[in-house]
Amino acid sequence: MHTRTVNVGVIGAGFMGKAHSLAYAAMPMFFWPAPAIPRRTVIAEVTDELARDAAARFGYERWTSDWRRIIDDPEIDVVDIAVPNDQHPAIAIAAAQAGKHVICEKPLARTAAEARAMRDAAVAAGIVHMVAFNYRRTPAVALAKSLIEDGTIGTVRNFRGTYLQDWSNDPDLPLSWRFQRDVAGSGALGDIATHVLDFARYLVGEVVQVNGLMERYIHDRPIPQGGADQLAGAAKIADAPRGPVDVDDEVLTMLRFAGGAVGSIEATRHAHGRKNFLGFEIHGDRGTLVFDYERRDELQLYSADDAADRQGFRTILTGPAHPYGESLWPIPGLGVGYGETKIIECYELMKAIAEGTPADPSFEDGYRITCIADAIAVSAQAGTWVDVDFGEGSSS
Ligand code: NAI
Ligand code: SOE
């Protein structure tokens, strides 16, 4: 058997550069026969020293401190964008125009206008394009989707989504790029609420109307004094000069879905005690599903069809019988982690490339999520319901 090799160039060797590199190395160990074998060909960082170090650490054959060399490299099949949000459009558009397949981290871009240009370039080039909303790859989330699709909870009426973290509570945490609007685009909205929007669209359908509210709690932070951009683990530098935070710390919104369901989302990086409390509760007319990423091996199901004296939530512990489970670990309850979500994401990307089929979620999905995020920001300013504008040429 000959399995195709796909040469990957990764741009950015921070948190996501690490997660994606792990996935490229590990995917064929789990999914075998692999649809294609990713080869860690080249990695880019901002300096020669960082790039060389990243290649040694993450197992790449080559390194560069100029991402354009990856775009110009005829050997590269896939460009993987793992840098802060402001750089996604230029890299993705250049990669698509060079005929490379592209996986880009979320949010696809800072604004819908930027994301739309990326989507248009990718579609025009006919490449495989994927936006990296990896939490939907958690087996319990994929199981929730199949239970909705097979009618287990009936017609969905309400989606309640949350993404609560607490790493940004400390006012002396450095001014990471995640607190700067010109780099990140927005705060909790683009950084974490977009993951919940991906759940909402994946599980329930398109979001067509929003009514949002956004708050900022910390207005300035110490300017980092060199070194890598760090989050919760960062050293405090309380006596450094401070710069403005110009993004939201918390966002809440009500939602209306195209299919008639309603919903709500809350997202903040300021909820003491919540570490990565990403979850949903979905009410159908025959039952309820509950998921909490902090207990990511479990899906809670309540069925109104159970006998009256048996009704109650049951906990399904995911394993080989559930989505992707056969390829992961041999018995239920061993547990999946963040790494496995990225390994599954990598499998789906390689499968789309090998089979020549569209990837899911695509840049179209990434674009639509930025349209919804923009509408939430407009609605929070206006204090009213806003229709989501998906622009001309988008099919609802
Ligand atoms: P990070 O700050 O940990 O790493 C970014 C890296 O990119 C840094 O090492 C930086 O030096 C490098 N970089 C910046 N500009 C570059 C350039 N022009 N060429 C080469 N390297 C460059 O950031 P992190 O957390 O990895 O975030 C990157 C992206 O991934 C963001 O869009 C973020 O929203 C997304 N993300 C997604 C997650 C998910 O669960 N899907 C989790 C964390 C981040
Ligand atoms: C910080 O809030 C962060 O790293 C986000 O950027 C990711 O998207 C999220 O999955 C984990 O937390």
Side-chain angles (χ1 to χ4, degrees):
M1 184 194 67
H2 175 71
T3 305
R4 175 179 169 189
T5 298
V6 168
N7 295 322
V8 181
V10 173
I11 304 173
F15 177 9
M16 281 307 97
K18 172 163 77 175
H20 291 207
S21 300
L22 168 80
Y24 292 127
M27 188 276 284
M29 301 178 202
F30 288 90
F31 291 90
W32 193 259
I37 298 186
R39 176 167 155 219
R40 283 162 289 152
T41 307
V42 53
I43 190 159
E45 253 296 338
V46 285
T47 64
D48 285 359
E49 194 187 345
L50 285 171
R52 190 184 302 116
D53 199 55
R57 181 178 178 196
F58 299 139
Y60 287 80
E61 295 165 17
R62 294 188 267 122
W63 55 267
T64 176
S65 52
D66 178 2
W67 61 263
R68 288 179 183 79
R69 294 187 61 182
I70 294 183
I71 307 293
D72 294 340
D73 186 339
E75 208 191 356
I76 293 300
D77 301 303
V78 177
V79 173
D80 181 325
I81 305 173
V83 293
N85 311 344
D86 58 327
Q87 299 187 63
H88 295 182
I91 300 174
I93 292 169
Q97 287 173 348
K100 315 289 189 196
H101 304 300
V102 186
I103 175 168
C104 181
E105 264 305 336
K106 51 49 62 180
L108 190 57
R110 293 173 296 186
T111 63
E114 287 182 341
R116 186 173 181 172
M118 295 167 73
R119 179 209 59 187
D120 290 349
V123 170
I127 53 145
V128 171
H129 43 96
M130 178 183 273
V131 59
F133 284 112
N134 53 299
Y135 290 108
R136 63 156 72 183
R137 314 298 185 184
T138 313
V141 176
L143 174 63
K145 183 169 175 67
S146 71
L147 294 179
I148 292 169
E149 284 177 350
D150 73 13
T152 299
I153 64 163
T155 302
V156 172
R157 290 174 168 157
N158 187 4
F159 171 92
R160 304 174 62 212
T162 56
Y163 200 157
L164 311 179
Q165 300 179 326
D166 68 359
W167 61 265
S168 67
N169 267 307
D170 185 342
D172 291 332
L173 206 66
L175 187 67
S176 157
W177 64 261
R178 282 177 168 82
F179 298 120
Q180 300 171 40
R181 188 183 169 88
D182 61 342
V183 185
S186 61
L189 174 60
D191 193 30
I192 58 174
T194 50
H195 284 294
V196 194
L197 285 169
D198 182 57
F199 278 173
R201 296 181 70 254
Y202 175 59
L203 297 168
V204 181
E206 194 56 274
V207 173
V208 292
Q209 250 194 349
V210 296
N211 190 339
L213 180 160
M214 290 160 82
E215 284 293 326
R216 187 178 311 145
Y217 302 126
I218 294 176
H219 296 265
D220 55 52
R221 290 181 177 275
I223 297 169
Q225 308 297 301
D229 188 288
Q230 288 186 312
L231 302 178
K236 290 184 201 173
I237 43 171
D239 48 357
R242 300 177 79 88
V245 171
D246 52 4
V247 297
D248 53 293
D249 285 322
E250 175 143 9
V251 57
L252 297 94
T253 189
M254 292 190 284
L255 309 170
R256 281 190 193 284
F257 291 87
V262 297
S264 61
I265 288 178
E266 50 180 328
T268 180
R269 304 176 295 198
H270 284 263
H272 277 297
R274 298 299 189 187
K275 304 304 174 186
N276 206 48
F277 189 79
L278 165 62
F280 54 78
E281 178 163 318
I282 299 176
H283 304 155
D285 62 3
R286 299 304 313 155
T288 293
L289 291 167
V290 183
F291 172 75
D292 162 12
Y293 184 79
E294 289 180 348
R295 301 184 67 88
R296 70 191 73 84
D297 298 308
E298 300 175 1
L299 184 69
Q300 307 280 330
L301 167 65
Y302 180 100
S303 174
D305 296 330
D306 286 346
D309 64 347
R310 308 286 157 90
Q311 283 188 0
F313 278 98
R314 73 182 81 147
T315 302
I316 303 169
L317 198 56
T318 58
H322 299 112
Y324 306 113
E326 231 177 277
S327 300
L328 295 175
W329 303 109
I331 59 166
L334 292 174
V336 294
Y338 186 83
E340 280 90 334
T341 68
K342 284 292 181 189
I343 289 166
I344 297 167
E345 176 177 86
C346 172
Y347 163 72
E348 292 287 5
L349 176 68
M350 292 298 139
K351 193 157 157 281
I353 291 170
E355 294 174 358
T357 50
D360 186 28
S362 67
F363 278 16
E364 176 70 25
D365 297 292
Y367 161 65
R368 284 171 167 266
I369 286 173
T370 58
C371 294
I372 301 166
D374 280 6
I376 293 169
V378 169
S379 139
Q381 275 283 326
T384 180
W385 282 96
V386 165
D387 292 338
V388 182
D389 177 6
F390 292 112
E392 288 168 37
S394 291
S395 51
S396 302

